Amino acid sequence: MNKKVDVSNIILVGKRITLRAFKESDLLDFYNYCKVPGVGEMAGWPHHKNINVSKFVLTEFIKDRKTLAIIFNDNQKVIGSIGIERYNETVFLELANLEGVEIGYVLAKEYWGQGIMVEAMSLVVDYLFKKERLDFLLCGHFIDNYQSRRVIEKLGFSFIKDSVYKTIDNEIKPVRKYILINKEKEI
């Protein structure tokens, strides 16, 4: 079953990055990576055509309190996000007696391939298992998104099943789903 996680007061600090809730003052940084073709598309949404789209999405992030901003410590810029989302319980009936969430993420293109997302996701996994005491985490990637697959594999997730995802543009895309079990809990 899904567990609601409120990110409002979460601050997680790594070697190169800090994770925290989004603020209105993040708008320009947010827009600067969301407008780049190919970034959003890897996560199922079209790149932002103008700053008003970014402002709308940022307002939703702040209101919904489920998405963390990834801040690069060296320059204090927002370079990505990690969403702690509800998973589709009808697709994962076998998880009905356990508490979990699905994690999604995006990173500015100029930071790809540097291990930053593995660092960020490691902080989130640790927090969700140790502080929120979740039983499991789900994560997925589009079949052709090899970068996300590598992040998921490096974090120790295991393949659970293939599924489909309906993008914002109503395109149905195949998705590979993975699970990570909290080893500190008896499941």
Side-chain angles (χ1 to χ4, degrees), residues 33-77:
Y33 76 81
C34 289
K35 70 180 180 181
V36 177
V39 172
E41 287 80 2
M42 295 290 261
W45 45 269
H47 61 278
H48 294 182
K49 301 290 187 204
N50 59 60
I51 199 164
N52 291 328
V53 173
S54 296
K55 185 174 185 175
F56 174 80
V57 173
L58 182 65
T59 300
E60 292 298 305
F61 281 178
I62 293 167
K63 182 182 78 169
D64 292 344
R65 301 184 312 232
K66 62 181 182 175
T67 306
L68 293 163
I70 302 171
I71 315 300
F72 194 61
N73 291 339
D74 283 355
N75 58 18
Q76 291 300 298
K77 287 189 182 261

Side-chain angles (χ1 to χ4, degrees), residues 16 42 72 79 105-119 145-148 150-151 154:
R16 297 177 292 169
M42 295 290 261
F72 194 61
I79 61 167
Y105 49 86
V106 67
L107 187 65
K109 201 171 210 170
E110 62 266 30
Y111 294 91
W112 289 3
Q114 300 175 37
I116 291 170
M117 191 52 75
V118 172
E119 180 181 343
N145 185 339
Y146 303 108
Q147 295 99 318
S148 285
R150 288 296 298 138
V151 169
K154 287 178 182 180

